[in-house]
Amino acid sequence: MASSKLAILGSTGSIGTQTLEIVSQNPDVLSVVAMSCGRNIELFEQQVRKYKPSLVAVADEQLAKELKDRLSDIKLDIMYGMEGLIAVATAQEADTVVTAVVGMIGVRPTIAAINAGKTIALANKETLVTAGHIIMPLAKEKGVSILPVDSEHSAIFQSLNGERHNKISKIILTASGGPFRGKTYEELENVTLEQALKHPNWSMGAKITVDSATMINKGLEVMEAKWLFGVSLNQIEVTVHPQSILHSAVEFEDGAIIGQMGTPDMKLPILYALFYPDRKTLYSESLDLFKVGTLTFERPDFETFYGLQLAFDAMSAGGNVPTVYNAANEKAVSLFLNNKISFVEIPEIVSESMIEIDYIDNPTIEQVLETEKMTYDFIESRW
Ligand code: MN3
């Protein structure tokens, strides 16, 4: 097997740290040549000492200075800000870029990495949600593979192996339903931050855990799936599957449904993206179907969790509306995490923003970023 040299954007987050664990488990074939973090430089310092990249980037100049002091015994290029992220994403030696940053900050570095011909292991949803209309044609033009790291999209990707020439009749995108599955809207009005942060199956970062509770995470994944697999919106069926064992599936013309099952462990999609098309040992517990016993499937409650419905609305509106959806949600979740708004206000803010912000057809990257800013400004002026 050919070895792979990685650049990791967001090495201290949930996906980043799990990617590094996989590197540790496969030291002969995987190495890290560049990586970035936001503000957690304590952990970042340890990672740099252990994985020995030659180029790193942090959020700002102050942190870069601090890191330089901490790592004064090591020869290392330290950069910061967007310039730093782009340098990591395009690091000469890297063949694969793992985009594990959270938020639209991932858009520009991903485009730079595609332009530099790097394989993309995509864990940053916002990139496709906001700029899928630019990213997908660009990747095609550059002959660059975009390998999904999200568990659902990885499952779909795996289900399409050897089936690319066959017509997809639908994509079955599974959702756990989150901690509030089965609750009524009235019950949601009183849920606390603590309750929202308790995901039944997956252990993830705070933002995405809240997104699972609102089901807006699934909304973002619907948009991601549409771009990745080139299907139309009405071919994507969200299915609530509380056990999180079937990670998603594809139904073909003949009615055959091919899916991928496994334990809820993000390391599997990461591993699959890093070694695609090969499979490697996943050092964790394998799925015991006897222990699972029953798999169930339910229709999502689009009325209670109307943030999910809004994603379909945003995607069919197109233009910059998916960006508004995403940016408004980012802002609303941060307000919720800071106890400034209630849980049910999250989709309300998204909905109002979608109405308020001016529509832009076929937005450029600059317009996508402007839309994000306008959405933030609107929310700050109102909440
Ligand atoms: Mn997912």
Side-chain angles (χ1 to χ4, degrees):
M1 181 185 298
S3 62
S4 198
K5 292 186 163 68
L6 309 180
I8 304 173
L9 300 174
S11 68
T12 56
S14 170
I15 299 293
T17 51
Q18 295 183 77
T19 301
L20 289 174
E21 271 179 61
I22 290 172
V23 173
S24 294
Q25 289 161 353
N26 299 275
D28 306 338
V29 280
L30 293 180
S31 61
V32 182
V33 296
M35 60 190 199
S36 82
C37 90
R39 315 203 71 87
N40 187 357
I41 66 166
E42 208 152 302
L43 174 59
F44 196 57
E45 179 194 346
Q46 295 169 22
Q47 293 179 337
V48 172
R49 292 189 182 280
K50 187 165 176 188
Y51 296 97
K52 303 183 171 54
S54 53
L55 167 68
V56 300
V58 291
D60 59 38
E61 191 175 5
Q62 185 55 41
L63 285 165
K65 273 186 191 145
E66 203 178 312
L67 188 69
K68 201 165 247 170
D69 289 343
R70 284 166 176 260
L71 292 168
S72 57
D73 56 318
I74 290 181
K75 190 178 163 289
L76 179 70
D77 284 331
I78 300 177
M79 296 181 68
Y80 59 87
M82 184 50 71
E83 201 187 332
L85 274 178
I86 289 175
V88 169
T90 56
Q92 187 105 57
E93 292 168 276
D95 48 64
T96 301
V97 178
V98 181
T99 63
V101 286
V102 177
M104 281 176 55
I105 196 169
V107 175
R108 277 184 195 278
T110 305
I111 289 175
I114 295 170
N115 275 319
K118 314 291 188 194
T119 298
I120 309 291
L122 187 82
N124 174 260
K125 290 191 171 84
E126 293 80 2
T127 301
L128 286 183
V129 166
T130 65
H133 63 292
I134 295 167
I135 300 277
M136 294 312 289
L138 182 65
K140 199 173 175 198
E141 183 197 321
K142 301 282 173 186
V144 158
S145 304
I146 297 187
L147 308 170
V149 168
D150 211 343
S151 62
E152 296 81 357
H153 305 79
S154 176
I156 296 160
F157 189 69
Q158 293 176 57
S159 304
L160 287 170
N161 249 340
E163 303 276 3
R164 286 285 174 170
H165 59 293
N166 284 322
K167 216 164 99 192
I168 297 172
S169 64
K170 70 180 175 198
I171 280 176
I172 298 167
L173 189 69
T174 55
S176 70
F180 305 140
R181 181 178 60 92
K183 285 207 188 302
T184 62
Y185 186 83
E186 288 67 37
E187 288 169 321
L188 289 188
E189 288 184 305
N190 299 310
V191 300
T192 63
L193 176 58
E194 205 193 3
Q195 291 169 320
L197 287 176
K198 263 197 201 116
H199 196 279
N201 306 330
W202 295 93
S203 129
M204 305 174 291
K207 197 258 176 185
I208 187 169
T209 303
V210 174
D211 288 350
S212 295
T214 57
M215 290 197 78
I216 284 177
N217 178 54
K218 210 49 55 180
L220 295 168
E221 291 183 353
V222 167
M223 303 190 200
E224 217 186 345
K226 188 185 174 295
W227 287 118
L228 276 171
F229 306 111
V231 293
S232 64
L233 261 190
N234 56 25
Q235 284 177 291
I236 302 174
E237 182 175 83
V238 175
T239 305
V240 175
H241 166 49
Q243 297 83 17
S244 296
I245 297 298
L246 175 67
H247 295 312
S248 279
V250 177
E251 186 194 272
F252 294 95
E253 257 183 310
D254 60 357
I257 294 177
I258 313 274
Q260 182 251 318
M261 299 199 288
T263 52
D265 185 341
M266 280 310 294
K267 284 202 205 67
L268 177 81
I270 298 169
L271 193 66
Y272 192 75
L274 295 185
F275 288 99
Y276 174 77
D278 298 325
R279 292 189 182 273
K280 290 278 283 183
T281 306
L282 176 71
Y283 297 95
S284 86
E285 226 175 297
S286 57
L287 179 61
D288 183 346
L289 283 176
F290 299 113
K291 222 186 251 173
V292 176
T294 310
L295 300 181
T296 61
F297 301 93
E298 305 162 10
R299 245 176 244 289
D301 179 350
F302 282 99
E303 273 168 44
T304 304
F305 298 92
Y306 74 103
L308 176 59
Q309 179 58 50
L310 290 173
F312 281 88
D313 299 346
M315 196 71 185
S316 35
N320 63 340
V321 186
T323 300
V324 175
Y325 177 88
N326 176 69
N329 178 59
E330 259 183 46
K331 194 82 196 169
V333 171
S334 100
L335 290 172
F336 176 66
L337 289 173
N338 289 301
N339 283 307
K340 298 263 163 61
I341 60 165
S342 70
F343 183 74
V344 292
E345 281 179 283
I346 298 172
E348 267 171 46
I349 289 176
V350 173
S351 173
E352 292 221 18
S353 302
M354 282 168 58
I355 295 164
E356 182 68 22
I357 304 298
D358 287 338
Y359 181 81
I360 303 172
D361 191 36
N362 197 22
T364 61
I365 291 299
E366 286 68 32
Q367 288 171 321
V368 163
L369 296 170
E370 262 166 47
T371 298
E372 180 190 44
K373 191 179 178 305
M374 283 191 294
T375 308
Y376 283 0
D377 290 348
F378 166 66
I379 294 169
E380 271 160 25
S381 71
R382 286 279 298 274
W383 280 275

